[in-house]
Amino acid sequence: MTALALETVTKSFPSVEGRVEVLRGVSLDIARGSAHALTGESGSGKSTLLHIAAGLEQADSGRVLVGQSDLTTLDEAGRAALRRGHVGLIFQQFNLIPSLSVAANLGFQARLAGKHDADFIIHLAQRLGVADLLSRYPEQLSGGQQQRVAIGRCLAARPALVLADEPTGNLDEETGDRVLDLMLELTAETGAALLLVTHSSRLAARCEARHHLRAGRMEGTE
Amino acid sequence: MTRAALAALLSHWARNKLQLAMLLAGLALATALWSGVQALNAEARSAYATAEALLSEGATARLDHPSGQIAQESFGALRRAGWLVSPVLEARVTLGDARVTLIGIEPLTAPPGAGPALAAEDLAAFFSGRGFAHPQTLREIRDVPREIRPSEAVPVGTVLVDIGQAQAILQSDHLTSLTLAQTQPEGLRPLETLVPELRLLSPGEGAELAGLTDSFHLNLTAFGLLAFAVGLFIVHSAVGLAFEQRRAMFRTLRALGLPLRTLTACLATELLLMALVAGAAGLVLGYALAALLMPDVALTLRGLYGAPVPGALQFNPLWALAGLGMALGGTALAGAQALWRLWHLPPLAPAQPRAWAHASARGMRVQSALAGALALLAIILAVYGTGLLAGFLLLAATLLAAALAVPLVLTTVLRLAERAARGPLAEWFWADSRQNLPRLSLALMALMLALAANIGVGTMVASFRATFIDWLDLRLVAEVNVIPRSQDEARALEAFLAPRADAVLPMLRVEAQLSGQPAQIYAMKDHATFRDNWPLIDPVPQVWDRLAAAEGVLVNEQLYRRSGLRAGDELDLPQIGPMPVLGAYPDYGNPLAQAVITLPRFSEIWPEAPIRQLAIRTEDAPTLIAALQDEFGLSAAQITDQAQAKEISLAIFERTFVITRALNLLTLSVAALALFAALVTLAGMRLAQLAPLWALGLTPRQLAGLELTRALVMGGLTMLLALPVGLVLAQVLLAVINVQAFGWRLPLQVFPGDWARLGLWAALAVLAAASLPALRLWRQGPAQLLRVFAHER
C-alpha cells in the first residue's frame, strides 16, 4: 500500500535571474512500512521535495499522493489537516515548542490530531530514553535528547508517513547513529513509511531504498 | 573597522524600516508631549513675568485699602509728608467688545517699570489719552474708542493709560493702590500714623499669580512627565528588542575581532543619532501641539485665575535646547540597560527564547521587589505625606509600583490559565503567551500606565463635573446678575430694582489675609436664596440664624481644608477679631481663601466697600433685563442671566480639562504605538516559534487568529489591571492632589459606562496594533514560515 507517491512533480522559484527550476519532473513511490533515503548535493531539491510531500509547499505540476489523498487538490486547511493526522515531520533543528515541557511536546501532535494515547506516549518515551526528562523544557536538553523528543512527538500521532529532514545533521556521529536506530526501529514498529533526507551515504545505506537527486532530477534509485 | 561595524549594525534598520519608524516615532512623541507641555508652561510664566514687570510689582512695596479703594486725600497726605508714592488705579471695564483690566498710572512718579517706560516714549500723548495694550487685546476690543497702541510689554487683557484718563473712564476719583519708591527721604512720619487705614504690602506680596497658578502648571508638568515616561517605555522596549534581534550579529562581529568597547561605542552612537533625529522631530511636533492647546490653556488660566496669558505661542530657543536634552537623556536612560547587558554578555551567549525568559526571571524578581518597595512608599506617603509634592510622589509611586507589578501579575494569571487549560492548543497558547511576556511586558506596562491614567483622570473629571453641575445649580440661583459701572450706578440700580424684583442681593467684598493666606471677605444678605440653596460642609446647628445674627463666619472649602479648620474653631478676621467658624461651603474654581459674614456687620466695618455685583431674584428675567438696559444702558458684558452664567462657568470648567483630556488621549495613543512597535518587532522573531505549529498541522489563518486573540487577551488583562489602579489614582487625585492643589475635596463617583468606552478604545487600539503582524502572518505565512526550516542549514 502506497504511503507517498510523487508523479512527475515540478517546482520552480523566482529569482533575480528569472525562475529557477528546483524539481524537474520527479517521481517517487514509497510503500507503508518501508524506509527510504533521499540524498543529493546542496541545492539539488531534496528539502523542496520533502516540503512538497508534507504539503508545506505546493508543486507547480504533477501529482502528490499521501495515502489516498491528492495534495495538489487540497487547499491550505486540507493540507494542514492531512499533516496533522497522517504526516510526521522531523527537522534538523528539532523545532520543539520551547514553552512546553517534554511531556507536553511529546503528546502535542497526537492531541492536535485527536489520537492521544497516554500509554503509547509513555512507551515511546521509555523507548527513546526520555522518560526521566518529561518535566524538563527543551532548552534544558542536549541536542540528541531534543531530537529524540522530536521523534517521539512525530510518532505519538501514529502517522502513516514520516518525513525527516537531516534529523542527525546537528548531532555527533555516535548520537546520530543512535537516533537513527531508534527512528528506524520505531517507524518499523508503527508501520509508518519513512523518507529520510540526508547528505550522508553512510546513513542512507541503512535504509531499504535510496534515491539520489541531482539538479532537480531523480538520478537513480537503489 | 568602526565604520564597517557601524554600517553592519545600521543595516539592521534598513531591513526593519517599520521597527525603526516605531522607535523614532516613540521617541519623537515622548519628546513632543514633554516639550509641548513645557512650551505651554514657559509661555504662561513669561506672561506672568510681563504682568509683574509692567509696574515692577515684584520689586516695590505698595499701600492698599481693604475695601479696594484709596481716597485721593490719603495720597495727598502722603505726598505732603514727603513720601515718594505713585498712584495706581486698576479696575475691570468694558472697552469695545471686551472686558479688560484698565490700569492707570502716573508715569512721572511711578517706579521704573515697563509701563512707565512706555508712557515716557511720548509723555504729552500719554497724558492726553494715548493708551497701550497687547496686540491680542486690541484685536479683542475691536472698535477701539480711543488711541491705544499695541505693545508686547503690556499683559494680555490689560489696557494701560494715564491715571487721570483712567479716573475719567471710571468716573471715579479713588485710587486702588500706591506704589512706594525704593528709596525714601529720611525722617518721614511713619505710615501707620499718617495713613492708618492703609495696609503696607511688601514687594511681591499680593502679586501671587505665579503662586496661584503653580498647581495648574504642576499638573501639566506631571502629565507631560507621564507621557514622556510612557514614550520612554516604547524606546526602551524597541531598543531592547532590536538588541535581542541582533544578538547573532553581535556574536559574529565579536568573533570577527571587533572589540567589545568599539561595539558598545557603535551602538551608543546609533542611539545618539536616533535621539537627535527623533528629538528634532519631537520638538516640531511639540511646538505644534503647544500651539494647538495654547488658546485653551490661556482661556483656562484667564477663567480660573484671571491670569493674562496670550493665546499665541512664541518660539524660545532655550525651550528647544531643553527638549532636545530631554530626548537625549531619555534615550540614554532607555538604552542604558541594553548597553549594560551587551557589556556583560558572554561573546557566545545562547539566543534561545526560554533562556532569555529565564534570564528575565531574575529581572522579574528584582522588578517585583522594586514594585513592593514602591507600594510601601506609596502607603507611607498616603498615611504621613503632606503637601502637593508628597501628593505627586504618592501618585508616581503608585503608578510605578503598579506598572512594575504588571509582568508579575500577568505571569501568575497566565500560569493559572495554563493549568486550567484543556487541549493542546490552549495549553500552548497560555504557555507561549507566558514565554513571550518578557518581550511584551514593557509595552504592556506602558499601556497599563496610559489606561490607569485615563481611568483615574477620567473618573476625577467626571466626578468633578457631576459635583460641579449640582453645585452650580444650587449656587447660581439668582436669575439675573448685574455689574454696576460705579457706586452711584449701584445705588441707582438698587433703588430701581427694589419695587421690580423679588429680591436684590448685593455682592460686596474686601481683600484680606486670613490664616496667612490671600483672601476675600464677602458680605451675605440673609435671604432664602442662600438658606435654601447653599450646600454646606459640617455646618453647626442653626447655621443661617447664627450667621444672620453675626455670631460667626462661613468659610470656603479651600480655607477650611488648607487651614485645617473645624466648625466651632475661631477665625481671626481683620478689624473684627476672632469669630467662630459656622461651617464651610464648596467654592470650586476659586484659588483664593474666602469668608462670608452677614451684610449688616460687613457694612458696619467696611462702609466704603463698593458693591461689585447685584444678584437679582425675579420671575420675569427677560422683562427685567430689557428694563435695565432701557433705563441704564447696560452693556451685554454688564448683565448676565442665570443660563448665561451657568454656560460661562461650565465652559471654563470644560476648558480646564481640555488639555488634560488631550494629553490623556495622546498618552493612550503613545501606548498603543508602543504595543504596535513591540508586536511588529516580535512578529519576525515569532516565526521560529510558530513555524513548527504550522508544520504540525495548523493553518496560517489559525495562527494569525491565535496571535490576534493573544494580543486581545493581554490587552484585556492589562485593562483589568488598570481598572483598580485607575480608581486608586482617581482617589489620590480627588482626596490628596485636589485638596493640596486647589483646596477642595470631591466624592469619588464611578462611571462604568466610561470604563466600557475606554475598554472598547483600548481593544480597538490593541486590535489595530496586532492586526498588521497577524495579517502578515496570514497572508505571507507559508513563504515566511518555510524560511525557518530553510535557514536550518
Side-chain angles (χ1 to χ4, degrees):
Chain A
M1 194 178 165
T2 299
L4 172 70
L6 272 69
E7 296 172 6
T8 52
V9 168
T10 63
K11 180 71 184 173
S12 61
F13 291 106
S15 77
V16 282
E17 292 149 4
R19 291 195 78 81
V20 177
E21 286 190 69
V22 180
L23 295 178
R24 306 166 187 232
V26 173
S27 296
L28 184 68
D29 194 85
I30 299 176
R32 277 205 76 154
S34 61
H36 291 236
L38 180 64
T39 57
E41 291 158 6
S42 293
S44 60
K46 303 187 298 292
S47 290
T48 304
L49 188 149
L50 195 94
H51 291 158
I52 287 173
L56 295 174
E57 207 142 22
Q58 283 184 281
D60 292 343
S61 65
R63 286 215 313 163
V64 182
L65 292 161
V66 173
Q68 301 298 312
S69 305
D70 184 352
L71 280 183
T72 51
T73 63
L74 296 177
D75 61 5
E76 172 60 36
R79 292 196 300 275
L82 188 82
R83 229 167 22 241
R84 210 157 52 226
H86 303 282
V87 180
L89 280 161
I90 301 168
F91 302 99
Q92 182 179 350
Q93 290 284 13
F94 329 129
N95 284 316
L96 296 177
I97 296 171
S99 51
L100 297 180
S101 66
V102 167
N105 262 293
L106 276 173
F108 192 76
Q109 190 175 2
R111 293 171 76 193
L112 275 184
K115 297 181 188 171
H116 187 248
D117 179 345
D119 292 338
F120 183 53
I121 289 172
I122 290 170
H123 166 73
L124 280 175
Q126 283 165 346
R127 289 293 312 276
L128 290 160
V130 293
D132 297 335
L133 310 172
L134 294 178
S135 59
R136 292 199 189 172
Y137 283 84
E139 84 199 30
Q140 296 166 316
L141 306 181
S142 69
Q145 287 169 332
Q146 285 194 52
Q147 194 57 297
R148 279 184 274 154
V149 176
I151 292 167
R153 176 179 71 183
C154 160
L155 294 175
R158 297 181 190 275
L161 174 66
V162 174
L163 301 168
D165 194 357
E166 297 281 5
T168 59
N170 265 356
L171 306 175
D172 61 71
E173 196 171 300
E174 192 184 331
T175 312
D177 283 349
R178 272 211 305 276
V179 165
L180 187 64
D181 287 343
L182 278 169
M183 203 156 65
L184 289 169
E185 277 174 38
L186 288 169
T187 47
E189 214 176 88
T190 56
L194 170 70
L195 177 60
L196 170 73
V197 168
T198 180
H199 275 109
S200 162
S201 49
R202 190 177 65 79
L203 292 180
R206 314 241 340 245
C207 295
E208 293 156 26
R210 289 159 294 283
H211 311 275
H212 191 75
L213 263 180
R214 185 187 290 273
R217 291 184 205 282
M218 201 62 90
E219 202 177 55
T221 300
E222 297 173 27
Chain B
M1 177 178 71
T2 308
R3 186 179 291 184
L6 198 57
L9 290 169
L10 290 175
S11 69
H12 169 82
W13 300 111
R15 291 188 61 116
N16 295 277
K17 292 188 184 74
L18 191 60
Q19 193 184 349
L20 176 66
M22 289 301 106
L23 200 158
L24 292 177
L27 189 56
L29 273 177
T31 312
L33 288 173
W34 168 257
S35 57
V37 162
Q38 290 314 307
L40 291 173
N41 282 345
E43 191 65 37
R45 292 210 171 100
S46 125
Y48 307 152
T50 305
E52 208 174 285
L54 186 71
L55 299 178
S56 309
E57 282 173 352
T60 52
R62 286 175 300 140
L63 290 166
D64 77 353
H65 189 275
S67 69
Q69 291 193 331
I70 297 175
Q72 196 79 30
E73 295 74 45
S74 304
F75 171 56
L78 284 166
R79 293 294 295 188
R80 281 193 299 278
W83 281 90
L84 300 176
V85 289
S86 181
V88 175
L89 178 56
E90 185 175 336
R92 295 286 289 168
V93 293
T94 305
L95 276 185
D97 287 354
R99 286 282 291 169
V100 297
T101 300
L102 185 73
I103 296 183
I105 58 164
E106 205 289 288
L108 295 177
T109 54
L118 276 175
E121 286 173 8
D122 186 347
L123 277 175
F126 190 69
F127 289 141
S128 57
R130 177 186 287 172
F132 294 93
H134 193 278
Q136 187 181 318
T137 313
L138 271 179
R139 283 195 297 276
E140 285 169 8
I141 295 172
R142 255 198 287 195
D143 288 330
V144 185
R146 54 179 52 241
E147 190 201 354
I148 303 178
R149 294 210 164 172
S151 168
E152 300 274 351
V154 182
V156 172
T158 300
V159 174
L160 181 78
V161 292
D162 171 58
I163 190 140
Q165 296 292 329
Q167 285 179 325
I169 292 169
L170 294 167
Q171 296 170 343
S172 159
D173 56 355
H174 283 93
L175 307 168
T176 46
S177 65
L178 298 167
T179 50
L180 286 133
Q182 280 179 325
T183 48
Q184 298 283 349
E186 287 184 17
L188 297 175
R189 262 181 75 193
L191 290 169
E192 298 81 42
T193 54
L194 201 58
V195 279
E197 73 282 11
L198 298 188
R199 197 168 54 161
L200 178 67
L201 300 171
S202 52
E205 197 182 341
E208 292 93 354
L209 206 51
L212 289 175
T213 52
D214 264 356
S215 307
F216 180 84
H217 293 297
L218 193 59
N219 272 326
L220 269 187
T221 305
F223 260 101
L225 205 57
L226 176 70
F228 188 71
V230 170
L232 284 193
F233 272 102
I234 305 184
V235 181
H236 185 81
S237 163
V239 168
L241 286 173
F243 270 49
E244 202 194 333
Q245 280 173 313
R246 289 185 289 182
R247 195 174 279 201
M249 189 196 280
F250 299 160
R251 269 192 307 196
T252 309
L253 287 172
R254 291 195 61 191
L256 292 175
L258 187 74
L260 181 59
R261 196 183 293 269
T262 313
L263 178 60
T264 313
C266 283
L267 285 164
T269 309
E270 178 190 90
L271 282 177
L272 179 75
L273 285 174
M274 285 176 183
L276 285 173
V277 171
L283 285 178
V284 175
L285 277 176
Y287 187 80
L289 176 73
L292 201 69
L293 291 176
M294 195 64 218
D296 283 315
V297 172
L299 285 172
T300 303
L301 288 166
R302 276 195 243 173
L304 268 181
Y305 307 102
V309 177
L313 195 67
Q314 309 287 322
F315 180 79
N316 182 347
L318 270 180
W319 159 82
L321 276 177
L324 208 55
M326 198 73 178
L328 287 170
T331 311
L333 197 69
Q337 192 194 11
L339 288 172
W340 188 86
R341 271 194 186 180
L342 174 72
W343 190 256
H344 290 87
L345 197 72
L348 297 176
Q352 290 289 329
R354 256 200 72 81
W356 196 87
H358 271 302
S360 300
R362 207 176 65 112
M364 199 187 280
R365 277 196 295 277
V366 174
Q367 202 169 307
S368 305
L370 202 60
L374 281 166
L376 192 69
L377 175 69
I379 292 168
I380 293 169
L381 283 168
V383 177
Y384 300 107
T386 50
L388 195 58
L389 190 63
F392 274 109
L393 281 176
L394 167 61
L395 265 190
T398 309
L399 277 176
L400 268 179
L404 288 172
V406 167
L408 181 73
V409 177
L410 285 182
T411 302
T412 311
V413 172
L414 293 174
R415 186 172 280 132
L416 289 174
E418 192 182 334
R419 274 190 206 148
R422 296 284 168 266
L425 264 187
E427 277 172 27
W428 168 79
F429 180 83
W430 296 114
D432 187 66
S433 303
R434 192 158 59 86
Q435 182 189 292
N436 280 290
L437 189 60
R439 293 184 173 106
L440 271 182
S441 62
L442 276 166
L444 291 174
M445 283 155 80
L447 184 65
M448 204 285 296
L449 276 180
L451 287 173
N454 261 278
I455 293 167
V457 174
T459 304
M460 187 266 280
V461 173
S463 296
F464 195 0
R465 198 174 197 281
T467 313
F468 187 72
I469 289 172
D470 287 347
W471 173 79
L472 265 188
D473 285 338
L474 295 171
R475 267 304 270 276
L476 299 176
V477 277
E479 286 74 17
V480 181
N481 283 290
V482 176
I483 303 168
R485 280 170 288 213
S486 65
Q487 288 314 292
D488 292 342
E489 187 173 74
R491 279 185 283 276
L493 276 165
E494 271 193 301
F496 177 80
L497 287 165
R500 292 175 176 84
D502 296 338
V504 181
L505 308 168
M507 197 200 82
L508 297 89
R509 68 153 197 262
V510 291
E511 312 297 319
Q513 289 272 323
L514 293 177
S515 295
Q517 303 168 38
Q520 293 166 333
I521 300 172
Y522 275 80
M524 184 184 270
K525 189 173 179 177
D526 183 24
H527 193 266
T529 299
F530 304 116
R531 286 177 174 258
D532 299 345
N533 294 298
W534 267 43
L536 292 177
I537 302 161
D538 302 337
V540 297
Q542 286 94 44
V543 54
W544 293 110
D545 291 340
R546 291 187 64 185
L547 184 73
E551 289 174 13
V553 59
L554 287 176
V555 296
N556 69 352
E557 193 184 355
Q558 288 85 314
L559 176 60
Y560 190 66
R561 296 203 189 279
R562 281 185 191 143
S563 302
L565 292 171
R566 291 282 166 272
D569 286 357
E570 299 234 303
L571 179 71
D572 202 15
L573 291 143
Q575 300 181 48
I576 295 180
M579 280 186 103
V581 173
L582 303 175
Y585 54 91
D587 189 23
Y588 306 122
N590 176 16
L592 294 174
Q594 213 175 75
V596 167
I597 59 170
T598 191
L599 180 61
R601 183 83 174 115
F602 183 95
S603 302
E604 214 175 289
I605 308 293
W606 295 289
E608 295 296 310
I611 296 172
R612 293 175 188 265
Q613 199 171 324
L614 292 165
I616 305 159
R617 302 303 311 268
T618 174
E619 282 175 7
D620 188 4
T623 310
L624 191 69
I625 290 172
L628 283 170
Q629 282 171 332
D630 286 347
E631 187 69 23
F632 294 90
L634 297 178
S635 68
Q638 277 180 276
I639 192 159
T640 51
D641 63 19
Q642 190 188 35
Q644 266 180 308
K646 269 187 197 164
E647 206 177 294
I648 292 165
S649 299
L650 268 177
I652 291 174
F653 177 88
E654 297 297 351
R655 270 183 217 130
T656 308
F657 293 105
V658 161
I659 308 111
T660 311
R661 288 203 187 98
L663 288 175
N664 240 340
L665 188 69
L666 284 167
T667 310
L668 188 63
S669 312
V670 171
L673 196 68
L675 197 64
F676 180 63
L679 288 172
V680 165
T681 313
L682 260 183
M685 302 163 80
R686 295 273 298 141
L687 281 183
Q689 294 164 23
L690 295 174
L693 280 121
W694 175 61
L696 293 176
L698 288 181
T699 60
R701 187 180 169 170
Q702 283 174 306
L703 290 173
L706 283 167
E707 289 297 277
L708 215 53
T709 311
R710 186 196 319 280
L712 279 174
V713 166
M714 295 299 219
L717 286 172
T718 307
M719 174 73 194
L720 284 179
L721 270 177
L723 205 55
V725 179
L727 286 178
V728 170
L729 186 66
Q731 184 58 24
V732 173
L733 284 170
L734 289 169
V736 181
I737 301 289
N738 267 330
V739 177
Q740 298 292 344
F742 305 112
W744 54 75
R745 188 186 178 122
L746 297 158
L748 175 75
Q749 299 183 42
V750 289
F751 301 89
D754 288 357
W755 302 342
R757 204 172 306 122
L758 179 66
L760 199 67
W761 277 113
L764 282 175
V766 170
L767 211 59
S771 289
L772 184 66
L775 201 67
R776 273 185 178 176
L777 182 66
W778 181 15
R779 299 292 290 274
Q780 305 164 22
Q784 282 192 331
L785 291 165
L786 266 177
R787 248 182 251 157
V788 174
F789 307 124
H791 285 162
E792 286 182 352
R793 280 177 289 283

